[in-house]
Amino acid sequence: MVLAMGLKARDSLDTPWFYRSVELNLETPAAHAVELVGSMALSSVRKDRELRIHESLDDLSTDLADYIAEISEASVKERGVFAIALSGGSLIGLMGKLCEAPYNKTVDWAKWYIFWADERVVAKSHVDSNYKLAKDRFLSKVPIIPSHVHSINDSVSAEEAADDYGFVIRQLVKSRVISVSDISDCPKFDLILLGMGPDGHVASLFPNHSVLEEKDEWVSFITDSPKPPPERITFTLPVINSASNVAIVATGESKAEAAHLAVDVIGSDLPPVPAGVVQPLKGKLVWFLDKAAASKLDAGTQFSA
């Protein structure tokens, strides 16, 4: 079953996707297709973005594991390594299928290099640490080489931790563990995995925060996070948008409005939420949503058996 998503009259083909309006149109040629994959998920595919909507968290988790494993295999085949940046929150739990068969045996874990797209400036043993969350629920369950896991320096200030992390990444760009963008000097991660908050924030890029405007630094810091803990480091938008692949994962009804604002058209007088300005310049963006998080989308995202 293939449906098509057409542009509304006020939009043009040159309009950036995150400002476009979409409407379901069964007569439009399938240049932008929405395909029902079995009875499990709707997948909306466009050149620059893919939307995958799942009926259950289990289906989403399986699809996410397949997606990560495929990018890992392609990166190792092309470059000999796989550089992935994680976030915190429910995303780590949704990656859990990677710790199970077949992935725990078929993924080339020795080639993985782990980074964090954002981190709370707390001790690594602290309950709020994204590192601790990833270690407890994921890293300790797969054979990743410990020296390939690059966490922040948790013994310094937020500003110093951001500077230090930026330096570490620069050294690994020089050694080609991380690729470099061919249109900027930014690092080009093979995959950046992002969760999304109910306010539409990704990494530690919060709505209306000045760090959204950072263009020069690869890693920045904040000391006034609207959700605790207040001190954090974060990849900047230029780094996120230089990645080869970016995935935004959002589940639950509390994320529905933010998903709508990020994916669907918003008025030109309204600034997009941070998730809405994530768009890899020469890479691919994939959204992973469950039915609840997709419930307010305008794009005809209804399930059928």
Side-chain angles (χ1 to χ4, degrees), residues 48 111 177 303:
D48 56 356
K111 302 297 175 59
V177 168
F303 291 85

Side-chain angles (χ1 to χ4, degrees), residues 205-222:
L205 302 173
F206 292 93
N208 304 312
H209 198 286
S210 60
V211 75
L212 285 166
E213 305 303 320
E214 178 59 57
K215 300 294 191 295
D216 299 323
E217 298 296 335
W218 292 356
V219 183
S220 192
F221 70 98
I222 62 174

Side-chain angles (χ1 to χ4, degrees), residues 107-159:
V107 169
D108 193 349
W109 298 106
K111 302 297 175 59
W112 279 44
Y113 286 77
I114 306 288
F115 303 85
W116 275 264
D118 75 313
E119 178 59 286
R120 292 85 178 270
V121 184
V122 295
K124 289 183 177 66
S125 59
H126 195 283
V127 66
D128 288 330
S129 167
N130 286 343
Y131 166 82
K132 175 177 170 55
L133 178 66
K135 181 181 179 182
D136 291 349
R137 299 191 183 182
F138 174 57
L139 299 177
S140 62
K141 299 178 181 181
V142 291
I144 293 174
I145 298 172
S147 63
H148 290 184
V149 178
H150 295 278
S151 57
I152 71 165
N153 183 346
D154 61 354
S155 64
V156 296
S157 69
E159 182 175 10

Side-chain angles (χ1 to χ4, degrees), residues 177-286:
V177 168
I178 306 170
S179 294
V180 63
S181 168
D182 57 3
I183 57 176
S184 73
D185 72 340
C186 283
K188 185 178 182 180
F189 285 88
D190 298 309
L191 174 61
I192 296 179
L193 292 174
L194 302 170
M196 182 184 71
D199 60 355
H201 84 268
V202 290
S204 285
L205 302 173
F206 292 93
N208 304 312
H209 198 286
S210 60
V211 75
L212 285 166
E213 305 303 320
E214 178 59 57
K215 300 294 191 295
D216 299 323
E217 298 296 335
W218 292 356
V219 183
S220 192
F221 70 98
I222 62 174
T223 58
D224 56 353
S225 169
K227 58 179 292 188
E231 295 193 347
R232 299 161 177 245
I233 65 103
T234 183
F235 282 4
T236 57
L237 274 173
V239 168
I240 292 173
N241 285 335
S242 293
S244 294
N245 298 277
V246 179
I248 300 178
V249 183
T251 61
E253 188 176 356
S254 67
K255 311 293 179 67
E257 182 64 23
H260 163 64
L261 292 174
V263 173
D264 294 325
V265 159
I266 58 175
S268 59
D269 57 331
L270 295 174
V273 295
V277 291
V278 172
Q279 180 55 63
L281 298 174
K282 293 189 69 176
K284 185 173 182 181
L285 172 65
V286 179

